[in-house]
Amino acid sequence: MTVREVGVLAIGAGPANLALAVAIEESGAPELAAGTLLLEQGPDIKWQRDLLMPWARSQVSFLKDLVTLRNPSSRFTFLNFLHEQGRLDEFVNLGTFHPYRWEFSDYLQWVATSLERVEIRYGARAAQVDPVVDADGSVSGWRVLLTDGDEIHCRDLVVGGGRDRRVPDVFTGLPADRLIHSAQYRTRIADIPKDEPVRAVVVGGAQSAAEMFYALHENLPQSRVTMLVRSIGLQNYQTSKFVNERFFPSFVDEFYDSPAEVRAQVLDEMRLTNYAGLAPPFLDELYTMLYRQKALGPQRSEVRALTEVVGARIEDGDVVLDLRDRMSGKTEPLRCDLVLLGTGYDPRKPALVRELAARLGIDEVTVSRAHRVELGDSARGAVYLQGVNEETHGIADSLISVLANRSHDILTDLLARHTAGAGRP
């Protein structure tokens, strides 16, 4: 076991904390940068690691990369990445604002490799976070225990590891080897022989579920695939340019200053802009695939709308799902071998944050405009939350749309606290 002290510790080296790392490097505060460490549980950096299908695209413009909206002249832009890789001309010739997901993932790894002062530690997973409390009861920093037994002490902590997977209660009794969440898709599906005649059921009606449904036809070409959608059917993302203005970084101020009931109403109205829809070109491709199957055969795929799963069990070696037709109210069983969940993520704060709040005696986690958890004026150690503050900062908080500006907000708050005499990082 080793113990190390740093000024700023960021848990997770995904887009959010990489954007902050770049902002810190470009801040003109070399001591802050040299005292910043990012923890990444994987052996490298991959964006949506288990959904990196070769045809999958980002739904957000490449101009909303880690830095461009904050500093268009930065050397860390996506365009500079393409230039250094020798692919800028070809990308421009594609005529798209939406790069392939694998290409944006490669960009993130390039950014991480290009950092000169901020350090990234790979293969490091945080198991527990404890506050360091002074004699007067104020928080002066944090003690982070890693799964390998090492400890890292810091004054300022940034949690940017994303939300926890959501597995609906109806599926929790199924064996782990019969259940795949979208966050595990590519890793788990690679363990199944390609010629296996699997009866697969995909649950969910948004982008991740649809991508698994489509990918199964290539990954398991002998499979029969059923997609269960609770709503009236698969739907387009809401892509109106007027609605998209709600993803402007400038809208965060307006949203944060609104009453809680107004924020909740706006979030509900914006659900189809992100959580309950598909990218229109991909939706067309899915429908065309099903059309070809019906016309030419073999018909090995089906999308069943207005259907919900009300029971799940193992029976005679099969997974049996009890399906309720929302129109007729009738329930019937469906036998399958494998269930794939495109059910998203738990809307609550991550378990790591909830456990930390319990140790601090905080019943409800509230964050400032700068994404800092409210710990009282006496606290010298701070904890910032990235990507999990939709209820106060808007639906874009979990997306890459606001990364560049959010990193500026957090950096400004960090520097202001240090300048105010709270201590050197």
Side-chain angles (χ1 to χ4, degrees):
M1 184 189 76
T2 62
V3 177
R4 180 178 176 185
E5 292 191 9
V6 298
V8 178
L9 178 66
I11 297 176
N17 280 341
L18 282 176
L20 179 60
V22 171
I24 290 174
E25 283 236 344
E26 296 181 336
S27 67
E31 290 186 7
L32 178 64
T36 298
L37 173 67
L38 274 61
L39 301 180
E40 169 54 44
Q41 63 180 341
D44 53 11
I45 290 173
K46 289 285 191 295
W47 184 46
Q48 300 186 31
R49 184 182 301 269
D50 272 281
L51 287 175
L52 282 180
M53 274 71 84
W55 39 262
R57 288 184 180 268
S58 166
Q59 277 77 63
V60 181
S61 167
F62 70 85
L63 293 173
K64 297 181 178 181
D65 59 17
L66 304 187
V67 292
T68 296
L69 296 184
R70 174 181 61 81
N71 178 15
S73 63
S74 170
R75 67 184 180 91
F76 291 98
T77 64
F78 181 74
L79 288 181
N80 191 42
F81 157 73
L82 290 174
H83 174 70
E84 289 202 2
Q85 301 299 306
R87 292 205 302 271
L88 183 56
D89 287 341
E90 287 82 358
F91 182 84
V92 171
N93 201 38
L94 286 175
T96 181
F97 280 95
H98 304 286
Y100 288 105
R101 194 176 293 154
W102 57 263
E103 192 159 38
F104 197 83
S105 181
D106 288 350
Y107 159 67
L108 298 181
Q109 183 64 76
W110 172 82
V111 168
T113 304
S114 302
L115 294 170
E116 295 177 349
R117 295 186 177 90
V118 174
E119 179 185 351
I120 299 177
R121 176 174 169 177
Y122 295 97
R125 182 181 178 89
Q128 181 175 315
V129 179
D130 293 302
V132 177
V133 181
D134 287 348
D136 62 0
S138 63
V139 176
S140 60
W142 312 94
R143 183 185 301 107
V144 179
L145 176 66
L146 306 186
T147 53
D148 63 6
D150 285 357
E151 281 188 15
I152 302 177
H153 299 176
C154 63
R155 192 191 108 164
D156 297 313
L157 180 70
V158 185
V159 181
R163 296 188 185 275
D164 303 320
R165 301 167 191 165
R166 177 178 175 266
V167 177
D169 291 341
V170 69
F171 299 106
T172 55
L174 293 180
D177 64 343
R178 298 296 191 99
L179 202 62
I180 298 176
H181 190 275
S182 61
Q184 310 163 300
Y185 177 76
R186 290 194 65 190
T187 299
R188 291 282 306 281
I189 215 71
D191 293 333
I192 302 175
K194 194 163 186 174
D195 58 353
E196 192 81 15
V198 175
R199 296 168 297 171
V201 173
V202 179
V203 179
Q207 186 77 19
S208 61
E211 287 183 0
M212 290 190 293
F213 176 74
Y214 190 80
L216 280 166
H217 294 79
E218 176 183 355
N219 300 142
L220 299 176
Q222 303 305 316
S223 63
R224 295 188 63 85
V225 191
T226 302
M227 186 175 185
L228 305 178
V229 182
R230 191 180 184 281
S231 68
I232 58 174
L234 299 176
Q235 303 179 62
N236 281 328
Y237 281 132
Q238 167 56 261
T239 56
S240 159
K241 289 180 171 58
F242 295 95
V243 171
N244 281 348
E245 291 191 356
R246 305 287 80 81
F247 290 91
F248 286 2
S250 56
F251 182 66
V252 177
D253 285 327
E254 187 177 347
F255 188 89
Y256 186 85
D257 292 334
S258 299
E261 61 273 16
V262 173
R263 296 199 301 259
Q265 182 181 1
V266 171
L267 284 176
D268 184 63
E269 292 176 9
M270 292 186 68
R271 188 168 179 269
L272 260 178
T273 65
N274 182 44
Y275 289 125
L278 282 69
F282 184 54
L283 190 63
D284 289 344
E285 179 61 31
L286 279 177
Y287 194 86
T288 301
M289 178 189 73
L290 295 172
Y291 180 84
R292 287 196 304 264
Q293 286 188 14
K294 288 180 181 179
L296 304 175
Q299 188 172 347
R300 47 183 287 236
S301 312
E302 180 186 13
V303 176
R304 297 178 59 170
L306 291 164
T307 303
E308 60 183 348
V309 183
V310 295
R313 61 191 183 279
I314 298 293
E315 184 179 285
D316 299 328
D318 290 340
V319 176
V320 180
L321 302 179
D322 294 320
L323 307 184
R324 188 178 77 88
D325 185 308
R326 293 182 58 210
M327 294 292 290
S328 67
K330 294 180 180 179
T331 299
E332 63 178 10
L334 174 66
R335 290 182 174 270
C336 62
D337 303 303
L338 188 65
V339 177
L340 300 99
L341 299 179
T343 49
Y345 293 85
D346 192 330
R348 299 175 298 172
K349 293 289 191 284
L352 187 73
V353 175
R354 299 199 306 271
E355 292 164 3
L356 176 58
R359 294 185 182 95
L360 289 166
I362 297 175
D363 294 327
E364 183 177 356
V365 176
T366 58
V367 294
S368 70
R369 174 60 184 83
H371 300 266
R372 174 160 48 92
V373 175
E374 301 289 1
L375 299 175
D377 294 337
S378 64
R380 290 185 292 119
V383 56
Y384 299 87
L385 304 182
Q386 294 223 63
V388 295
N389 300 317
E390 291 175 317
E391 66 275 12
T392 52
H393 289 70
I395 198 169
D397 193 65
S398 63
L399 308 176
I400 65 174
S401 300
V402 296
L403 292 185
N405 296 77
R406 185 171 68 206
S407 64
H408 172 76
D409 296 338
I410 295 175
L411 172 65
T412 301
D413 194 70
L414 276 170
L415 293 175
R417 290 174 48 248
H418 295 169
T419 303
R424 292 167 63 84

